[in-house]
Amino acid sequence: MGQLLQFTINGLMAGAIYALIAVGIVSVFKATRVVNFAHGYLIMFGAYFYFTFAVLVPQAAWAPDWLASWQPGWMMDMREGLPMFSPLAAVLDWLANVPRILLGLAGALLCNAALGLVIERTLMRPLMGQSVFAMIMLTVGLISILSGSAQLIWTSDAEFVPSLAPNTPIRFALFGQTIFLFGADLANMVIALLIFAGIVLMVRYTKSGIAIRATAEDQSTAYSMGISVPKVFSRAWVLASTTGAVAGAILATRNGISPALGLFGFSVLAIVLMGGLDSYLGVFLAAMIVGVLEALTQWQLGGEWAGIVPYVAVLVVILIRPHGLFGAKEIERI
């Protein structure tokens, strides 16, 4: 029972990260009706941007010393006599990295937003009015461009980056069983869920969100109501890119950085298809289900089997519900 609870909680934490990644794919689809196959590589660029501003810039000769490692006097005093692996020592290690963590997040958000805007303005917007298939194939071509560019700009070697939160071990009892977690994983889950909830509320209640929903329903009608459809497209791509930057930073702290990080997007695309391309609720539930199934599969069968779980799950769901768990069924009138 204890291991079942442990792996279930681990799966829920992983599912929250999947949901954060999936929200970018859904946002672009809701606004443009285009499935962005290159979203995983936007996440990869976000991870590399975080690495650049959190690791490379603080190590530069011109950067101030406090940016690389913030060590005020009171922190040095607190370190004296602490065991190496004590929770307080982990918190102090994280505090020393706070300036470069904040710089890394700010740089990743701004640079990835600019990248998403450039892609939309230079590649996607000229295809407005053309077939959706042409735009989808363009995102497929982007995969090679972004992957190759990352290897040219940075190295292909995996790199270490600072965690977004203190990685202190946490133990607690649940239903009489001891559960063990890491603080960074718990914080990553909270960050992912807050961003996901914020985007859902924005799309539902703000003017920008209403414009996205109206454009998704009918672009011609949206134009006639005074909505700038090109601006809606740009906002959707920027939204997907910024959420991808946060997801990239989280994945970088968990798995390191390499161009292979972009492949993560294909697993999440399967989750989006399972939940429904235009349903935030659907992809959230699908992300949580797949996260738990992966964790339980890893527990029972080993990690090599966990990688196929999203694809098996989406095949089963699509056979029963072709539009996903909560996807809207399209009705064509003749």
Side-chain angles (χ1 to χ4, degrees), residues 125 128-129 211 214-233:
R125 188 170 296 188
M128 284 185 63
T215 303
E217 288 292 332
D218 191 310
Q219 292 183 16
S220 299
T221 303
Y223 263 122
S224 67
M225 298 297 292
I227 295 173
S228 175
V229 174
K231 284 185 179 180
V232 171
F233 284 14

Side-chain angles (χ1 to χ4, degrees), residues 4-310:
L4 176 62
L5 285 173
Q6 178 72 68
F7 278 91
T8 299
I9 293 173
N10 291 345
L12 291 174
M13 291 192 295
I17 309 303
Y18 292 156
L20 175 61
I21 298 171
V23 77
I25 299 176
V26 175
S27 297
V28 169
F29 182 81
K30 285 181 76 71
T32 66
R33 315 309 290 180
V34 172
V35 180
N36 180 16
F37 282 87
H39 188 67
Y41 290 85
L42 283 176
I43 293 169
M44 176 198 67
F45 258 80
Y48 272 115
F49 284 137
Y50 179 68
F51 165 69
T52 299
F53 288 96
V55 177
L56 297 183
V57 170
Q59 291 176 351
W62 48 265
D65 293 338
W66 58 264
L67 187 58
S69 182
W70 182 56
Q71 299 281 355
W74 61 266
M75 188 183 296
M76 299 297 292
D77 293 339
M78 291 182 68
R79 284 182 181 277
E80 292 184 7
L82 284 177
M84 182 178 296
F85 297 105
S86 70
L88 182 56
V91 172
L92 292 175
D93 288 341
W94 174 77
L95 284 174
N97 290 323
V98 164
R100 61 182 183 141
I101 291 172
L102 294 177
L103 178 64
L105 284 174
L109 288 170
L110 291 173
C111 290
N112 232 40
L115 175 62
L117 190 61
V118 168
I119 290 173
E120 192 279 327
R121 289 288 179 90
T122 61
L123 299 177
M124 306 304 294
R125 188 170 296 188
L127 291 179
M128 284 185 63
Q130 304 298 319
S131 69
V132 172
F133 178 76
M135 301 175 79
I136 292 174
M137 293 309 297
L138 181 58
T139 68
V140 174
L142 270 174
I143 293 174
S144 298
I145 296 173
L146 294 176
S147 179
S149 298
Q151 295 184 55
L152 289 173
I153 299 171
W154 297 279
T155 66
S156 59
D157 300 326
E159 299 284 356
F160 173 79
V161 294
S163 298
L164 302 184
N167 203 24
T168 55
I170 301 172
R171 289 182 177 87
F172 61 94
L174 183 64
F175 301 115
Q177 305 292 331
T178 300
I179 305 299
F180 180 85
L181 303 175
F182 284 104
D185 291 336
L186 191 59
N188 290 340
M189 180 184 72
V190 172
I191 291 169
L193 292 178
L194 288 176
I195 293 175
F196 187 94
I199 291 174
V200 172
L201 291 174
M202 182 275 292
V203 171
R204 186 170 182 85
Y205 295 109
T206 67
K207 290 183 178 180
S208 296
I210 293 172
I212 289 176
R213 287 188 287 145
T215 303
E217 288 292 332
D218 191 310
Q219 292 183 16
S220 299
T221 303
Y223 263 122
S224 67
M225 298 297 292
I227 295 173
S228 175
V229 174
K231 284 185 179 180
V232 171
F233 284 14
S234 295
R235 289 170 185 166
W237 274 89
V238 169
L239 178 63
S241 299
T242 51
T243 56
V246 178
I250 290 174
L251 290 177
T253 62
R254 288 163 51 98
N255 307 326
I257 307 176
S258 71
L261 195 63
L263 298 174
F264 203 81
F266 292 112
S267 297
V268 178
L269 183 58
I271 291 171
V272 172
L273 293 173
M274 176 181 170
L277 277 165
D278 57 351
S279 172
Y280 287 115
L281 175 61
V283 297
F284 178 79
L285 292 177
M288 292 302 176
I289 292 170
V290 168
V292 172
L293 288 177
E294 278 188 344
L296 296 180
T297 303
Q298 183 177 8
W299 171 38
Q300 293 293 326
L301 301 177
E304 64 273 10
W305 289 92
I308 68 171
V309 168

